[in-house]
Amino acid sequence: MANTSNRTLRLLSLLQSHRYWPGAELAERLDVSQRTLRRDVDRLRELGYPVEARRGVDGGYQLAAGAALPPLVIDDEEAVALAVGLQAAAQGPVDGIAEPSLRVLAKIVQVMPGRLRRRVEALRAMTVTGGWGGPARTDVDPDVLTSVALACRDTERLRFAYTAADGRRTERHVEPLRLVSLGRRWYLVAYDLDRADWRNLRVDRIADPAGTGARFRPRELPAADAAEFVRARLDAVPRSHRVEVLVDAPAAAVRERIGRWAAAEEAGPDRCRVRFTSDSLDWAALAVGAIGADFRVVHPPELVDLLRDWADRFHRASSVPRDG
């Protein structure tokens, strides 16, 4: 029965994601026969969802357009992803979005099943926001994210496979402390038992996390908090580009836009000097463009060439007639 219920929820989720599904493709996605698919569709109809069927060789299914549907149903993975997205929106820079996001998040968590609510609330409690640009990406595996969060909350030692930047895969045994949302990525701050040192580990490189059942007493972190620890470690990594620009705007105004990841100092009336490091000149171009003021590149010269190329492409794009 549990498998049937889960499959029915999955079917509804698929029908809500596309206007029309060919029957054969839908059955393949659910890994069931066409006959089982028809029974699952009938079950949705009994629950009040108006599913329309098209017969024939190219037959398929879709939810009736414009119908008053029962409340939206989402599966576990989607629920966690939704909660992570709303939390990211609440921490984002868009004015007026934080409070509504928190209200919606509270409502969603309240109606979640107990097992799922425990995972989402652990993620909320164990995540520290570190700044540096927009909210963290939500394409990290939700199961990995919530499993790590639970281990942090329960002070339980954790084992997992970790893939380094060079592709080398290692097995890690750690005492997890906190998750940090920083620079559009998720990091785990943990004490590595095999290396006898603190580490910041990218969550998108973690695979198959498993609690060991062994509890631990948290060690003293060599930083004011987990976010500061991650920022310090990332700052120590050599960057390929050091960027310096002169911006026609007061330093205080620029700091409001980019102060979390760049330094801005006064360079005259209504002008400031901005410095930061970046692995990518493309990202640097986006960053200075997002300031919203005129600027001049001091260093590096390669950034000037890139901006000229971008300007030419943007000009060509803006010159295309609207009906073209």
Side-chain angles (χ1 to χ4, degrees):
M1 178 61 72
N3 183 55
T4 301
S5 300
N6 289 338
R7 193 176 65 242
T8 302
L9 291 177
R10 179 63 177 156
L11 170 59
L12 180 57
S13 176
L14 291 171
L15 288 172
Q16 290 172 331
S17 66
H18 284 293
R19 181 67 180 273
Y20 177 79
W21 279 93
E25 183 179 350
L26 192 55
E28 182 179 355
R29 289 290 295 269
L30 294 169
D31 195 23
V32 297
S33 65
Q34 294 267 14
R35 183 177 180 181
T36 300
L37 174 60
R38 287 193 292 271
R39 287 202 300 265
D40 289 345
V41 168
D42 289 338
R43 187 173 295 109
L44 281 181
R45 289 168 176 160
E46 292 172 358
L47 292 172
Y49 290 88
V51 183
E52 295 180 346
R54 182 189 302 173
R55 301 185 182 279
V57 177
D58 61 343
Y61 301 92
Q62 69 181 63
L63 289 172
L69 298 179
L72 176 68
V73 177
I74 55 178
D75 59 28
D76 286 10
E77 185 176 275
E78 291 169 338
V80 173
L82 179 59
V84 171
L86 287 170
Q87 180 169 318
Q91 298 164 352
V94 181
D95 291 339
I97 204 70
E99 186 176 345
S101 298
L102 290 174
R103 289 201 305 266
V104 174
L105 179 58
K107 292 177 182 178
I108 291 175
V109 171
Q110 186 176 6
V111 299
M112 282 180 176
R115 55 180 175 74
L116 193 55
R117 187 186 312 122
R118 177 172 174 266
R119 297 168 70 87
V120 172
E121 288 181 339
L123 179 61
R124 294 171 62 191
M126 294 294 106
T127 298
V128 178
T129 303
W132 283 10
R137 295 160 54 174
T138 56
D139 57 355
V140 175
D141 187 331
D143 284 339
V144 171
L145 202 56
T146 55
S147 295
V148 171
L150 282 171
C152 291
R153 191 197 66 177
D154 297 339
T155 59
E156 180 181 7
R157 287 179 175 173
L158 194 65
R159 290 187 182 274
F160 52 81
Y162 189 75
T163 303
D166 60 3
R168 187 167 54 93
R169 187 180 176 94
T170 57
E171 297 297 322
R172 300 298 183 106
H173 184 202
V174 305
E175 294 177 350
L177 180 68
R178 285 292 186 276
L179 286 164
V180 176
S181 166
L182 177 66
R184 301 191 66 80
R185 294 196 184 279
W186 293 89
Y187 296 89
L188 168 64
V189 174
Y191 187 84
D192 192 311
L193 294 167
D194 295 326
R195 293 158 181 79
D197 196 9
W198 287 95
R199 291 289 189 269
N200 62 296
L201 305 163
R202 275 177 44 177
V203 178
D204 59 309
R205 294 176 177 170
I206 293 176
D208 306 320
T212 64
R215 299 298 178 90
F216 65 90
R217 177 174 303 205
R219 304 168 190 260
E220 183 177 353
L221 182 68
D225 58 31
E228 181 180 307
F229 176 81
V230 175
R231 284 196 298 266
R233 291 298 180 98
L234 295 181
D235 284 341
V237 176
R239 304 279 182 162
S240 54
H241 302 288
R242 294 190 175 275
V243 178
E244 180 179 341
V245 296
L246 288 172
V247 181
D248 293 338
V254 173
R255 290 190 195 104
E256 290 182 2
R257 301 296 299 273
I258 61 170
R260 292 175 292 182
W261 46 263
E265 59 184 35
E266 298 291 353
D270 295 329
R271 199 178 199 199
C272 67
R273 188 179 303 272
V274 176
R275 296 186 180 94
F276 61 92
T277 58
S278 173
D279 292 328
S280 166
L281 282 181
D282 287 328
W283 186 89
L286 287 171
V288 295
I291 294 175
D294 290 344
F295 62 90
R296 180 173 65 84
V297 176
V298 178
H299 185 79
E302 295 84 2
L303 180 57
V304 177
D305 296 334
L306 177 66
L307 290 172
R308 285 174 179 156
D309 179 58
W310 280 28
D312 290 340
R313 280 189 281 126
F314 288 165
H315 177 70
R316 290 193 297 271
S318 63
S319 300
V320 176
R322 292 195 178 186
D323 59 356

